[in-house]
């Protein structure tokens, strides 16, 4: 599924986060291509991993954040 939204003619930049049992992934998508990606072992602290990932990738240009996943712990 590809999510594409426009706001007053401008593309909305989306941050997607997925916390799986083994790895946590994140991507910044500008509506046309992936601008940034991040991948890290989920380990025994999924909350910390996803918070750190969010902090590293979030910026003022992010219009929407989408999350999914199992996470472990």
């Amino acid at each position: 599924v590809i999510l594409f939204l426009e706001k007053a003619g401008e593309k909305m930049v989306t941050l997607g986060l997925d916390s799986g049992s083994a790895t946590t992934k994140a991507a910044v998508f500008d509506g046309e291509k992936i601008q940034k990606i991040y991948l890290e072992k989920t380990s025994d602290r999924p909350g910390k991993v996803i918070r750190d990932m969010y902090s590293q990738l979030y910026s003022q240009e992010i219009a929407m954040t989408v999350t999914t996943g199992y996470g472990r712990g």
Side-chain angles (χ1 to χ4, degrees):
V1 174
I2 296 176
L3 179 63
F4 180 77
L5 299 170
E6 291 189 15
K7 180 180 179 182
E10 296 179 19
K11 293 179 184 150
M12 291 180 67
V13 179
T14 304
L15 169 59
L17 298 150
D18 174 52
S19 181
S21 62
T23 58
T24 298
K25 290 82 60 190
V28 176
F29 180 65
D30 72 2
E32 291 183 3
K33 66 180 189 171
I34 295 172
Q35 297 293 321
K36 298 177 187 176
I37 58 171
Y38 194 83
L39 175 71
E40 186 173 327
K41 282 187 157 189
T42 299
S43 72
D44 61 347
R45 298 188 330 219
K48 179 182 181 338
V49 172
I50 205 158
R51 280 190 301 275
D52 291 348
M53 201 174 283
Y54 177 85
S55 295
Q56 289 181 16
L57 292 175
Y58 183 80
S59 70
Q60 291 292 332
E61 69 178 350
I62 303 292
M64 181 186 317
T65 300
V66 180
T67 62
T68 187
Y70 167 76
R72 170 178 52 162

Coordinates of all heavy atoms in Angstrom, one line a residue:
V1 N 0.9 -1.2 0.0 CA 0.0 0.0 0.0 C 0.9 1.2 0.0 O 1.8 1.3 0.8 CB -0.9 0.0 1.2 CG1 -1.7 1.3 1.3 CG2 -1.8 -1.2 1.3
I2 N 0.6 2.1 -0.9 CA 1.4 3.4 -1.0 C 0.5 4.5 -0.6 O -0.6 4.6 -1.1 CB 2.0 3.6 -2.4 CG1 3.0 2.5 -2.7 CG2 2.6 5.0 -2.5 CD1 3.5 2.7 -4.1
L3 N 0.9 5.3 0.4 CA 0.1 6.4 0.8 C 0.6 7.7 0.2 O 1.8 8.0 0.3 CB 0.2 6.5 2.4 CG -0.5 7.6 3.0 CD1 -2.0 7.5 2.8 CD2 -0.2 7.6 4.5
F4 N -0.2 8.4 -0.5 CA 0.2 9.6 -1.2 C -0.9 10.7 -0.9 O -2.0 10.5 -1.3 CB 0.3 9.4 -2.7 CG 0.7 10.6 -3.5 CD1 2.0 11.1 -3.4 CD2 -0.2 11.4 -4.2 CE1 2.4 12.2 -4.1 CE2 0.1 12.5 -4.9 CZ 1.5 12.9 -4.8
L5 N -0.5 11.7 -0.3 CA -1.4 12.8 0.1 C -0.8 14.1 -0.4 O 0.5 14.3 -0.4 CB -1.6 12.9 1.6 CG -2.2 11.6 2.2 CD1 -2.1 11.7 3.7 CD2 -3.6 11.5 1.8
E6 N -1.6 15.1 -0.7 CA -1.1 16.4 -1.0 C -1.9 17.4 -0.2 O -3.0 17.2 0.2 CB -1.4 16.7 -2.5 CG -0.5 15.9 -3.4 CD -0.6 16.4 -4.9 OE1 -1.1 17.5 -5.1 OE2 -0.1 15.7 -5.7
K7 N -1.1 18.4 0.2 CA -1.7 19.5 1.0 C -1.5 20.8 0.3 O -0.3 21.2 0.1 CB -1.0 19.5 2.4 CG -1.5 20.6 3.3 CD -0.8 20.6 4.6 CE -1.3 21.7 5.5 NZ -0.5 21.7 6.8
A8 N -2.5 21.4 -0.2 CA -2.5 22.6 -1.0 C -1.4 22.6 -2.1 O -0.6 23.5 -2.2 CB -2.2 23.8 0.0
G9 N -1.4 21.5 -2.8 CA -0.5 21.3 -3.9 C 0.9 20.9 -3.5 O 1.8 20.7 -4.4
E10 N 1.2 20.7 -2.3 CA 2.5 20.3 -1.8 C 2.4 18.8 -1.3 O 1.4 18.4 -0.7 CB 3.0 21.2 -0.6 CG 3.2 22.6 -1.0 CD 3.6 23.4 0.2 OE1 4.1 22.8 1.2 OE2 3.5 24.6 0.1
K11 N 3.4 18.1 -1.6 CA 3.5 16.7 -1.1 C 3.7 16.7 0.4 O 4.4 17.5 1.0 CB 4.6 16.0 -1.8 CG 4.4 15.8 -3.3 CD 5.5 15.1 -3.9 CE 5.3 15.1 -5.4 NZ 6.4 15.2 -6.2
M12 N 3.0 15.7 1.0 CA 3.1 15.6 2.4 C 4.2 14.5 2.7 O 4.1 13.4 2.2 CB 1.8 15.1 3.1 CG 0.8 16.2 3.0 SD -0.8 15.7 3.8 CE -0.3 15.5 5.5
V13 N 5.2 14.9 3.5 CA 6.3 14.0 3.9 C 5.8 13.1 5.0 O 5.2 13.6 6.0 CB 7.5 14.7 4.2 CG1 8.6 13.8 4.6 CG2 8.0 15.6 3.1
T14 N 5.9 11.8 4.9 CA 5.5 10.8 5.9 C 6.6 10.1 6.5 O 7.5 9.6 5.8 CB 4.5 9.8 5.2 OG1 3.4 10.6 4.6 CG2 3.9 8.9 6.2
L15 N 6.5 9.9 7.8 CA 7.5 9.0 8.5 C 6.8 7.7 8.9 O 5.7 7.8 9.5 CB 8.0 9.7 9.8 CG 8.8 8.9 10.8 CD1 10.0 8.3 10.1 CD2 9.1 9.7 12.0
G16 N 7.3 6.6 8.4 CA 6.7 5.3 8.7 C 7.6 4.5 9.6 O 8.8 4.5 9.4
L17 N 7.1 3.9 10.7 CA 7.8 3.1 11.7 C 7.2 1.8 11.8 O 5.9 1.7 12.0 CB 7.8 3.8 13.0 CG 8.5 5.2 13.1 CD1 7.8 6.1 14.1 CD2 10.0 5.0 13.3
D18 N 8.0 0.7 11.8 CA 7.5 -0.7 12.0 C 8.4 -1.3 13.0 O 9.6 -1.5 12.8 CB 7.6 -1.4 10.7 CG 7.2 -2.9 10.9 OD1 6.1 -3.2 11.5 OD2 8.0 -3.8 10.5
S19 N 7.8 -1.7 14.2 CA 8.5 -2.4 15.2 C 8.2 -3.9 15.2 O 7.1 -4.3 15.6 CB 8.2 -1.8 16.6 OG 8.9 -2.5 17.6
G20 N 9.1 -4.7 14.6 CA 9.0 -6.1 14.6 C 9.6 -6.8 15.7 O 10.4 -6.2 16.5
S21 N 9.5 -8.1 15.8 CA 10.0 -8.9 16.9 C 11.6 -8.9 16.8 O 12.3 -9.0 17.8 CB 9.5 -10.3 16.9 OG 9.8 -11.0 15.7
A22 N 12.1 -8.9 15.6 CA 13.6 -8.9 15.4 C 14.2 -7.6 15.1 O 15.3 -7.2 15.5 CB 13.9 -10.0 14.4
T23 N 13.5 -6.8 14.2 CA 14.1 -5.6 13.7 C 13.0 -4.5 13.7 O 11.8 -4.8 13.6 CB 14.7 -5.6 12.3 OG1 13.7 -6.1 11.4 CG2 15.9 -6.6 12.3
T24 N 13.5 -3.3 13.9 CA 12.6 -2.1 13.8 C 13.1 -1.3 12.6 O 14.3 -1.1 12.5 CB 12.7 -1.3 15.1 OG1 12.2 -2.1 16.2 CG2 11.8 0.0 15.0
K25 N 12.1 -0.9 11.8 CA 12.5 -0.2 10.5 C 11.7 1.1 10.5 O 10.6 1.2 11.1 CB 12.0 -1.0 9.3 CG 12.8 -2.3 9.0 CD 12.4 -3.5 9.8 CE 11.0 -4.0 9.6 NZ 10.6 -5.0 10.6
A26 N 12.3 2.1 9.8 CA 11.7 3.4 9.6 C 12.1 3.9 8.3 O 13.1 3.7 7.7 CB 12.1 4.4 10.7
A27 N 11.2 4.7 7.7 CA 11.4 5.4 6.4 C 10.7 6.7 6.4 O 9.7 6.9 6.9 CB 10.9 4.5 5.3
V28 N 11.4 7.7 5.7 CA 10.8 9.0 5.4 C 10.5 9.0 3.9 O 11.4 8.7 3.1 CB 11.7 10.1 5.8 CG1 11.1 11.4 5.3 CG2 12.0 10.1 7.2
F29 N 9.2 9.2 3.6 CA 8.7 9.1 2.2 C 8.1 10.4 1.8 O 7.3 11.0 2.5 CB 7.6 8.0 2.1 CG 7.0 7.8 0.8 CD1 7.8 7.3 -0.3 CD2 5.7 8.0 0.6 CE1 7.2 7.1 -1.5 CE2 5.1 7.8 -0.7 CZ 5.9 7.4 -1.7
D30 N 8.5 11.0 0.6 CA 8.1 12.3 0.2 C 6.9 12.3 -0.8 O 6.6 13.3 -1.4 CB 9.2 13.1 -0.3 CG 9.7 12.7 -1.7 OD1 9.2 11.7 -2.3 OD2 10.7 13.3 -2.2
G31 N 6.4 11.1 -1.0 CA 5.3 11.0 -2.0 C 5.7 10.4 -3.3 O 4.9 9.9 -4.1
E32 N 7.0 10.5 -3.6 CA 7.6 10.0 -4.8 C 8.7 9.0 -4.5 O 8.8 8.0 -5.2 CB 8.2 11.1 -5.7 CG 7.1 12.0 -6.2 CD 7.6 13.1 -7.1 OE1 8.8 13.1 -7.4 OE2 6.8 13.9 -7.6
K33 N 9.5 9.3 -3.5 CA 10.6 8.3 -3.2 C 11.0 8.4 -1.7 O 10.6 9.3 -1.0 CB 11.8 8.6 -4.1 CG 12.5 9.9 -3.8 CD 13.7 10.1 -4.8 CE 14.5 11.3 -4.3 NZ 15.8 11.4 -5.0
I34 N 11.6 7.3 -1.3 CA 12.1 7.2 0.1 C 13.3 8.1 0.2 O 14.3 8.0 -0.5 CB 12.4 5.8 0.4 CG1 11.1 4.9 0.4 CG2 13.0 5.7 1.8 CD1 11.3 3.5 0.6
Q35 N 13.3 9.0 1.2 CA 14.3 10.0 1.4 C 15.4 9.4 2.4 O 16.6 9.7 2.3 CB 13.8 11.3 1.9 CG 12.9 12.0 0.9 CD 13.7 12.4 -0.3 OE1 14.8 12.9 -0.2 NE2 13.1 12.3 -1.5
K36 N 14.9 8.7 3.4 CA 15.8 8.2 4.5 C 15.2 6.8 4.9 O 14.0 6.6 4.9 CB 15.8 9.1 5.7 CG 16.3 10.5 5.4 CD 16.2 11.3 6.7 CE 16.6 12.8 6.4 NZ 16.4 13.6 7.6
I37 N 16.1 5.9 5.3 CA 15.7 4.7 5.9 C 16.6 4.4 7.1 O 17.7 4.9 7.2 CB 15.8 3.5 4.9 CG1 17.2 3.3 4.4 CG2 14.8 3.6 3.8 CD1 17.4 2.1 3.5
Y38 N 16.1 3.6 8.0 CA 16.8 3.3 9.2 C 16.4 1.9 9.6 O 15.2 1.5 9.6 CB 16.5 4.3 10.3 CG 17.4 4.3 11.5 CD1 18.6 4.9 11.5 CD2 17.0 3.6 12.7 CE1 19.4 4.9 12.6 CE2 17.9 3.6 13.8 CZ 19.1 4.2 13.7 OH 19.9 4.2 14.8
L39 N 17.3 1.1 10.1 CA 17.0 -0.3 10.5 C 17.9 -0.6 11.7 O 19.1 -0.3 11.7 CB 17.4 -1.3 9.3 CG 17.3 -2.8 9.6 CD1 15.8 -3.2 9.7 CD2 18.0 -3.5 8.4
E40 N 17.3 -1.2 12.7 CA 18.0 -1.6 13.9 C 17.4 -2.8 14.6 O 16.1 -3.0 14.5 CB 17.9 -0.4 14.9 CG 18.8 -0.6 16.1 CD 18.9 0.6 17.0 OE1 18.8 1.8 16.5 OE2 19.0 0.5 18.2
K41 N 18.2 -3.6 15.2 CA 17.6 -4.7 16.0 C 16.7 -4.2 17.1 O 17.0 -3.3 17.7 CB 18.8 -5.5 16.6 CG 19.5 -6.4 15.7 CD 20.5 -7.3 16.5 CE 20.8 -8.5 15.7 NZ 21.6 -9.5 16.5
T42 N 15.6 -4.9 17.2 CA 14.6 -4.5 18.2 C 15.1 -4.7 19.6 O 14.9 -3.9 20.5 CB 13.3 -5.2 18.0 OG1 12.8 -4.9 16.7 CG2 12.2 -4.8 19.0
S43 N 15.9 -5.7 19.8 CA 16.4 -6.1 21.1 C 15.4 -6.3 22.2 O 14.2 -6.5 21.9 CB 17.5 -5.1 21.6 OG 16.9 -3.9 22.0
D44 N 15.7 -6.2 23.4 CA 14.7 -6.4 24.5 C 14.1 -5.1 25.0 O 13.4 -5.0 26.0 CB 15.4 -7.1 25.7 CG 16.6 -6.4 26.3 OD1 17.0 -5.4 25.7 OD2 17.0 -6.8 27.4
R45 N 14.4 -4.0 24.2 CA 13.8 -2.7 24.6 C 13.2 -2.0 23.4 O 13.7 -1.0 22.9 CB 14.9 -1.8 25.2 CG 15.5 -2.4 26.5 CD 16.4 -1.5 27.2 NE 17.2 -0.6 26.3 CZ 18.4 -0.3 26.5 NH1 19.1 -0.8 27.5 NH2 19.0 0.6 25.7
P46 N 12.1 -2.5 22.9 CA 11.5 -2.0 21.6 C 11.1 -0.5 21.8 O 11.2 0.2 20.8 CB 10.3 -2.9 21.4 CG 10.0 -3.6 22.7 CD 11.3 -3.7 23.4
G47 N 10.6 -0.2 22.9 CA 10.2 1.2 23.2 C 11.3 2.2 23.0 O 11.2 3.2 22.3
K48 N 12.5 1.9 23.5 CA 13.6 2.8 23.4 C 14.1 2.8 22.0 O 14.4 3.9 21.5 CB 14.8 2.3 24.3 CG 16.0 3.1 24.2 CD 17.1 2.6 25.0 CE 18.4 3.5 25.0 NZ 18.6 4.4 23.8
V49 N 14.1 1.7 21.3 CA 14.6 1.7 19.9 C 13.7 2.5 19.0 O 14.2 3.3 18.2 CB 14.6 0.2 19.4 CG1 14.9 0.2 17.9 CG2 15.7 -0.6 20.1
I50 N 12.4 2.4 19.2 CA 11.5 3.2 18.3 C 11.5 4.7 18.7 O 11.4 5.5 17.8 CB 10.0 2.6 18.3 CG1 9.3 3.0 17.0 CG2 9.3 3.0 19.5 CD1 8.2 2.2 16.6
R51 N 11.7 5.0 20.0 CA 11.8 6.4 20.4 C 13.1 7.0 19.8 O 13.0 8.2 19.3 CB 11.7 6.6 21.9 CG 10.3 6.5 22.5 CD 10.3 6.9 23.9 NE 11.2 6.0 24.8 CZ 10.8 4.9 25.3 NH1 9.6 4.4 25.0 NH2 11.6 4.2 26.0
D52 N 14.2 6.3 19.9 CA 15.4 6.8 19.3 C 15.3 7.0 17.8 O 15.8 8.0 17.3 CB 16.6 5.8 19.7 CG 16.9 5.8 21.1 OD1 16.5 6.7 21.9 OD2 17.7 4.9 21.5
M53 N 14.7 6.0 17.2 CA 14.6 6.1 15.7 C 13.7 7.3 15.3 O 14.1 8.1 14.4 CB 14.0 4.8 15.2 CG 14.2 4.5 13.8 SD 13.6 2.9 13.3 CE 14.8 1.8 14.0
Y54 N 12.6 7.5 16.0 CA 11.7 8.6 15.8 C 12.5 9.9 16.0 O 12.4 10.8 15.1 CB 10.5 8.6 16.7 CG 9.6 9.7 16.6 CD1 8.6 9.7 15.6 CD2 9.7 10.8 17.4 CE1 7.7 10.8 15.5 CE2 8.8 11.9 17.3 CZ 7.9 11.9 16.3 OH 7.0 12.9 16.2
S55 N 13.3 10.0 17.0 CA 14.0 11.3 17.3 C 15.0 11.6 16.2 O 15.3 12.7 15.9 CB 14.7 11.1 18.7 OG 13.8 11.1 19.7
Q56 N 15.7 10.5 15.7 CA 16.7 10.7 14.6 C 16.1 11.1 13.3 O 16.7 11.9 12.5 CB 17.5 9.5 14.5 CG 18.4 9.2 15.6 CD 19.3 8.0 15.4 OE1 19.4 7.4 14.3 NE2 19.8 7.5 16.5
L57 N 14.8 10.7 13.0 CA 14.3 10.9 11.7 C 13.2 12.0 11.6 O 13.0 12.6 10.5 CB 13.6 9.6 11.1 CG 14.6 8.5 10.8 CD1 13.9 7.2 10.4 CD2 15.6 8.9 9.7
Y58 N 12.6 12.4 12.7 CA 11.6 13.4 12.7 C 12.2 14.8 12.4 O 13.3 15.1 12.9 CB 10.9 13.4 14.1 CG 9.7 14.5 14.0 CD1 8.5 14.2 13.4 CD2 9.9 15.7 14.5 CE1 7.5 15.1 13.3 CE2 8.9 16.7 14.4 CZ 7.7 16.4 13.8 OH 6.8 17.3 13.6
S59 N 11.5 15.5 11.6 CA 11.8 16.9 11.4 C 10.5 17.7 11.2 O 9.4 17.2 11.1 CB 12.7 17.0 10.1 OG 11.9 16.7 9.0
Q60 N 10.7 19.0 11.0 CA 9.5 19.9 10.8 C 8.8 19.6 9.6 O 7.6 19.9 9.4 CB 9.9 21.4 10.9 CG 10.4 21.8 12.2 CD 9.3 21.9 13.2 OE1 8.1 22.1 12.9 NE2 9.6 21.7 14.5
E61 N 9.4 19.0 8.6 CA 8.8 18.7 7.3 C 7.8 17.5 7.3 O 7.0 17.3 6.5 CB 9.8 18.5 6.2 CG 10.6 17.3 6.3 CD 11.6 17.1 5.2 OE1 11.5 17.8 4.2 OE2 12.4 16.1 5.3
I62 N 7.9 16.7 8.4 CA 7.1 15.5 8.5 C 5.6 16.0 8.8 O 5.4 16.7 9.8 CB 7.5 14.6 9.7 CG1 9.0 14.2 9.5 CG2 6.6 13.4 9.8 CD1 9.2 13.3 8.3
A63 N 4.7 15.6 7.9 CA 3.3 16.0 8.1 C 2.5 14.9 8.8 O 1.5 15.1 9.4 CB 2.7 16.3 6.7
M64 N 3.0 13.6 8.7 CA 2.2 12.5 9.2 C 3.2 11.4 9.6 O 4.2 11.2 9.0 CB 1.3 11.9 8.1 CG 0.5 10.8 8.6 SD -0.5 10.0 7.3 CE -1.2 11.4 6.4
T65 N 2.9 10.8 10.7 CA 3.7 9.6 11.2 C 2.7 8.4 11.2 O 1.6 8.5 11.7 CB 4.3 9.8 12.6 OG1 5.1 11.0 12.5 CG2 5.1 8.6 13.0
V66 N 3.2 7.3 10.6 CA 2.4 6.0 10.6 C 3.2 5.0 11.3 O 4.4 4.8 11.0 CB 2.1 5.6 9.1 CG1 1.3 4.4 9.0 CG2 1.4 6.8 8.4
T67 N 2.5 4.2 12.2 CA 3.2 3.2 12.9 C 2.5 1.8 12.7 O 1.3 1.8 12.5 CB 3.4 3.5 14.4 OG1 2.1 3.6 14.9 CG2 4.1 4.8 14.6
T68 N 3.3 0.8 12.8 CA 2.7 -0.6 12.8 C 3.7 -1.5 13.5 O 4.9 -1.1 13.7 CB 2.4 -1.0 11.4 OG1 1.7 -2.3 11.4 CG2 3.7 -1.2 10.6
G69 N 3.3 -2.7 13.8 CA 4.3 -3.7 14.2 C 3.9 -4.4 15.5 O 2.9 -4.1 16.2
Y70 N 4.7 -5.4 15.7 CA 4.5 -6.3 16.8 C 5.3 -5.9 18.0 O 4.8 -5.8 19.1 CB 5.0 -7.7 16.3 CG 5.2 -8.7 17.4 CD1 4.1 -9.4 18.0 CD2 6.5 -9.1 17.9 CE1 4.3 -10.3 19.0 CE2 6.6 -10.0 18.9 CZ 5.5 -10.6 19.4 OH 5.7 -11.5 20.4
G71 N 6.5 -5.5 17.8 CA 7.4 -5.1 18.9 C 7.4 -6.3 19.9 O 6.6 -7.2 19.9
R72 N 8.3 -6.3 20.7 CA 8.5 -7.4 21.7 C 8.7 -6.8 23.0 O 9.5 -5.9 23.2 CB 9.6 -8.3 21.2 CG 10.0 -9.4 22.1 CD 11.1 -10.2 21.6 NE 12.2 -9.4 21.1 CZ 13.4 -9.9 20.9 NH1 13.7 -11.1 21.1 NH2 14.4 -9.1 20.5
G73 N 8.2 -7.4 24.0 CA 8.5 -6.9 25.4 C 7.3 -6.6 26.1 O 6.8 -6.2 26.9

